[in-house]
Amino acid sequence: MAKKAKPSVDKIVKKVNKEFEKTSAQIEGLINDALKQFDNLQNQVQEPVRKLLKDMDELRDREMKRFNDEFERRMNEFHELQSALLERLGIASKETGKSVSKSSESTSKASATKKAAPAKRTPAAKPAAKKTSTAKPKAAAPKKVAKPADKSDLTRVKGIGPATAKKMKEAGITSIDQIANPSDADKQKLEAFKSLKGFSELSAEAKKVL
């Protein structure tokens, strides 16, 4: 009986080994499938993230460019305003200096004439002597300086109100000259206001106030 039991045990061992190998192969296949799915999932996640990062970089570049353009435009407006103010102050100071120099010259001439003229002696018999009065020359009044027209005030043009002037300045139209004699770039900027009442007459109205 013992000899007959041994072959059956060997069969069982072989069968178990075969089943074990089969199970191992199935498990290995499942692991490989899982790894493939994980790689696919990882690629699916990374692609949107890369695209999002790219979009964020492009948006940042656009915003930086827009900020730099706006900053440069504001600085140009500031320099134009500064130049206009310095120009006005320079003209006013020159005119005032001329007036002061003229008045000082007239005063010095009058005092020199007074010193050159000999004083008249009155006789002793006449106690009541007439005193000669010397009138001091009046200093010349400073000339009024005509203020140059403010070309940056767009509301001086007929048909342009404060709100429209503000929008035009934001669009880059900062001077009446740009309306009266617009360049090609200015014409494109002015096209945004073609719905304005009397738009076709703006150029003619601007030339009137220059």
Side-chain angles (χ1 to χ4, degrees):
M1 294 291 292
K3 290 181 181 179
K4 291 183 179 180
K6 187 174 180 180
S8 62
V9 171
D10 292 337
K11 288 181 180 180
I12 293 171
V13 171
K14 288 181 181 179
K15 187 176 182 180
V16 168
N17 289 336
K18 189 176 181 180
E19 290 294 331
F20 179 76
E21 290 175 359
K22 185 178 179 181
T23 305
S24 298
Q26 290 177 350
I27 292 173
E28 188 176 355
L30 291 172
I31 292 173
N32 291 332
D33 291 340
L35 289 174
K36 288 180 182 179
Q37 291 179 1
F38 178 76
D39 290 338
N40 292 332
L41 181 62
Q42 189 175 13
N43 291 331
Q44 291 176 1
V45 172
Q46 287 180 350
E47 187 63 26
V49 170
R50 283 196 294 266
K51 185 177 180 182
L52 179 61
L53 291 175
K54 184 179 179 181
D55 292 342
M56 289 178 64
D57 289 338
E58 292 177 354
L59 178 61
R60 182 188 60 188
D61 293 339
R62 286 198 301 270
E63 288 300 317
M64 286 298 296
K65 185 178 184 302
R66 187 179 67 81
F67 174 80
N68 289 332
D69 293 342
E70 182 67 16
F71 178 76
E72 186 176 354
R73 186 177 69 82
R74 295 287 184 182
M75 288 301 296
N76 289 336
E77 290 180 0
F78 173 76
H79 288 315
E80 289 178 2
L81 180 61
Q82 186 182 32
S83 300
L85 289 173
L86 290 174
E87 186 178 355
R88 292 182 191 176
L89 292 173
I91 294 173
S93 61
K94 287 179 182 178
E95 293 294 335
T96 307
K98 288 180 182 179
S99 301
V100 172
S101 61
K102 286 182 180 178
S103 62
S104 61
E105 286 177 3
S106 60
T107 305
S108 60
K109 286 180 181 179
S111 60
T113 305
K114 183 178 178 182
K115 289 179 180 179
K120 293 183 179 181
R121 294 182 180 179
T122 56
K126 296 180 180 180
K130 293 182 179 180
K131 295 181 180 180
T132 57
S133 61
T134 56
K136 293 183 179 180
K138 294 181 180 179
K143 295 180 181 180
K144 292 183 178 180
V145 181
K147 293 183 178 180
D150 186 3
K151 295 183 179 181
S152 63
D153 186 5
L154 304 182
T155 57
R156 294 176 57 224
V157 180
K158 184 178 179 181
I160 299 178
T164 304
K166 182 179 179 182
K167 291 179 180 178
M168 282 186 172
K169 287 187 176 182
E170 289 176 353
I173 304 299
T174 58
S175 174
I176 296 176
D177 287 328
Q178 293 176 269
I179 302 174
N181 303 299
S183 63
D184 292 338
D186 293 334
K187 288 178 181 179
Q188 292 180 358
K189 295 174 183 177
L190 288 170
E191 281 296 317
F193 303 92
K194 62 183 179 180
S195 60
L196 187 68
K197 185 178 179 181
F199 174 77
S200 59
E201 302 296 327
L202 283 183
S203 179
E205 293 295 335
K207 290 178 181 178
K208 292 179 182 179
V209 299
L210 289 178

